[in-house]
């Protein structure tokens, strides 16, 4: 990977999160309501002369009932509904492709208002259903083993675009009204789709506050996991403000190797990352950090590295997720063989760590960890070719 893709220390723009902004006005002059904070929604309605309780009613309709039109809001006057419809929309991203794996995993390619695309994935399991949510289109970080990292085209997703992935999944499974329940297909969220969530912190935070709102989508903090490649300065703030479960993409036990695999390590080396983990607010045996470790054949999978990993984790309430490498076209690595992975896991388990080997899900539709890529450029190009040029009138 070229160094120019990696922001240097003076490039603070990338590292200083900007305040989350409401979704921009659409071409038709209306504003998207999904993704506005409660306060922003109340302010928008106040401009129409509506009292504060109207914002609470709307919030319920949108996030508890999942309605997508003002027509269905039967406790609002016809007049007020018409006013709302003239100014606002409650939309969903367009689904441009939907694929289902033989193991039941589903992947949606979503197109947003400006034509940019990102993927999200639903993984059904016996005791839960997890939605893997994207936070950016592509990723600036170029980890060597990750398909998303090869996609140059990048922008941050807005709070609206992040929350919409959850809304859309509830739509797909008919799981409105929102709430908890064992039989639900959507119970957990992992911020492990495209992008580095801590490089888009403010938008991710606003979206997660909406997801957690007890009078709305009502997801539980324990069931939302944010995965980061190690944006050290943001880890503490994220822990204090959101108190989500944290996962760290570690993947190597020496700076020499991690510099290559996860180039962000050159900026925030392992010692700094582990110190930030030790300081993670609320850390306890009941709230452990998950360390993700992708198994790359002959690269990071030796018994000596497993032992070194134990040393790094010492004193941090943690568990390890061993992820068999998921290949993608042109990927430079191979997955470690099963016996090697088992040996690595056994060393961790003998030392008392929970160290499950993650079962790859949705590999056949390129929906497994690190396989996501929206190919927006290519898709757009082929669409442009397919659309006949306007003839003029
Ligand atoms: N950017 C964040 C979250 C998205 S990546 C991060 O890096 O943590 C989600 C997880 O998938 C990370 O642990 C990442 O390292 C892992 N991953 C990426 N490419 C992979 C691949 N090809 N095979 C297996 N896991 C991969
Ligand atoms: Fe980005 Fe995460 Fe992929 Fe690295 S592993 S390129 S941080 S999405």
């Amino acid at each position: 990977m070229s160094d120019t893709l990696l922001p240097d220390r003076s490039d603070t723009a990338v590292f200083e999160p900007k305040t989350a902004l409401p979704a921009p006005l659409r071409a038709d002059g209306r504003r998207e309501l999904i993704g506005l904070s409660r306060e922003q929604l109340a302010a928008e309605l106040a401009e129409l002369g509506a009292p504060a309780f109207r914002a609470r009613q709307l919030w319920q309709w949108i996030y508890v009932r999942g309605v997508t039109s003002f027509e269905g809001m039967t406790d609002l006057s016809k007049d007020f509904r018409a006013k709302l419809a003239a100014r606002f929309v409650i939309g969903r991203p367009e689904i441009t492709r939907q694929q289902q794996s033989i193991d039941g995993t589903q992947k949606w390619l979503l197109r947003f208002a400006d034509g940019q695309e990102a993927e999200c994935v639903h993984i059904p399991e016996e005791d839960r259903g997890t939605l893997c949510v994207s936070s950016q289109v592509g990723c600036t970080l170029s980890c060597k083993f990750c398909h998303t990292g090869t996609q140059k085209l990048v922008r941050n997703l807005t709070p609206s675009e992040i929350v919409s992935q959850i809304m859309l999944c509830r739509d797909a499974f008919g799981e409105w009204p929102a709430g908890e329940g064992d039989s639900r297909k959507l119970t957990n969220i992992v911020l492990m789709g495209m992008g580095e969530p801590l490089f888009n912190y403010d938008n991710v935070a606003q979206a997660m506050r909406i997801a957690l709102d007890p009078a709305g989508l009502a997801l539980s903090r324990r069931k939302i996991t944010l995965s980061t490649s190690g944006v050290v300065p943001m880890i503490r703030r994220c822990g204090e403000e959101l108190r989500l479960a944290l996962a760290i993409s570690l993947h190597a036990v020496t700076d020499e190797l991690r510099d290559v695999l996860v180039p962000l390590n050159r900026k925030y080396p392992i010692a700094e990352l582990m110190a930030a983990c030790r300081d993670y607010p609320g850390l306890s045996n009941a709230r452990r950090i998950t360390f993700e470790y992708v198994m790359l054949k002959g690269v990071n999978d030796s018994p000596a590295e497993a032992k070194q990993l134990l040393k790094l984790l010492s004193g941090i309430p943690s568990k390890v997720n061993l992820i068999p490498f998921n290949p993608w076209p042109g990927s430079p690595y191979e997955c470690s063989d099963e016996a090697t992975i088992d040996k690595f896991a056994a060393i961790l388990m003998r030392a008392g760590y929970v160290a499950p080997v993650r079962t790859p899900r949705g590999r056949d539709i390129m929906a497994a960890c690190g396989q996501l890529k929206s190919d927006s450029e290519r898709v757009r190009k082929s669409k442009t070719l397919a659309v006949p040029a306007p003839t003029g009138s």
Side-chain angles (χ1 to χ4, degrees), residues 145-146 192-193 195-196 227-229 249 251 292 294 325-326 369-370:
F145 49 85
C146 174
M192 292 187 187
E196 169 48 59
S227 173
T228 178
S229 56
S249 295
H251 307 316
E292 296 163 280
V294 64
F325 170 66
N326 294 307
C369 296

Side-chain angles (χ1 to χ4, degrees), residues 54-75:
R54 289 277 177 236
R56 286 197 294 276
Q57 274 177 312
L58 239 77
W59 189 268
Q60 273 241 333
W61 280 116
I62 297 173
Y63 295 113
V64 180
R65 317 290 311 182
V67 300
T68 51
S69 87
F70 297 102
E71 267 313 288
M73 300 184 177
T74 44
D75 56 357

Side-chain angles (χ1 to χ4, degrees), residues 183-326:
S183 59
R184 286 187 174 248
K185 294 204 165 82
L186 173 56
T187 58
N188 293 53
I189 305 282
V190 290
L191 283 153
M192 292 187 187
M194 297 167 64
E196 169 48 59
L198 294 188
F199 273 175
N200 184 19
Y201 178 73
D202 287 302
N203 288 349
V204 166
Q206 178 150 324
M208 291 305 109
R209 283 192 191 103
I210 294 170
L212 292 166
D213 190 299
L217 286 169
L219 285 147
S220 128
R221 267 176 222 291
R222 285 170 296 111
K223 294 185 176 172
I224 304 184
T225 303
L226 182 146
S227 173
T228 178
S229 56
V231 187
V232 167
M234 295 307 299
I235 289 178
R236 184 169 186 91
R237 179 166 167 208
C238 173
E240 276 167 356
E241 295 182 353
L242 300 177
R243 290 178 283 131
L244 304 175
L246 181 68
I248 300 284
S249 295
L250 189 61
H251 307 316
V253 292
T254 62
D255 283 326
E256 197 188 357
L257 180 59
R258 196 163 189 270
D259 279 353
V260 176
L261 297 180
V262 184
L264 185 65
N265 195 70
R266 298 183 213 161
K267 199 169 171 78
Y268 305 118
I270 293 177
E272 286 180 29
L273 177 59
M274 301 318 271
C277 290
R278 276 196 183 83
D279 276 355
Y280 191 65
L283 192 60
S284 69
N285 278 337
R287 295 192 60 217
R288 293 163 195 255
I289 294 179
T290 303
F291 287 88
E292 296 163 280
Y293 197 94
V294 64
M295 298 302 293
L296 303 170
K297 189 178 204 156
V299 175
N300 65 353
D301 59 356
S302 70
E305 282 160 310
K307 285 176 196 148
Q308 180 61 24
L309 179 55
L310 288 174
K311 280 199 190 137
L312 285 179
L313 298 184
S314 141
I316 305 177
S318 49
K319 54 190 169 198
V320 181
N321 237 239
L322 298 176
I323 318 176
F325 170 66
N326 294 307

Side-chain angles (χ1 to χ4, degrees), residues 78-94:
K78 248 189 156 167
D79 253 17
F80 187 53
R81 278 184 268 163
K83 262 195 200 170
L84 290 172
R87 270 183 94 129
F88 304 115
V89 286
I90 311 166
R92 299 285 192 266
E94 187 190 339

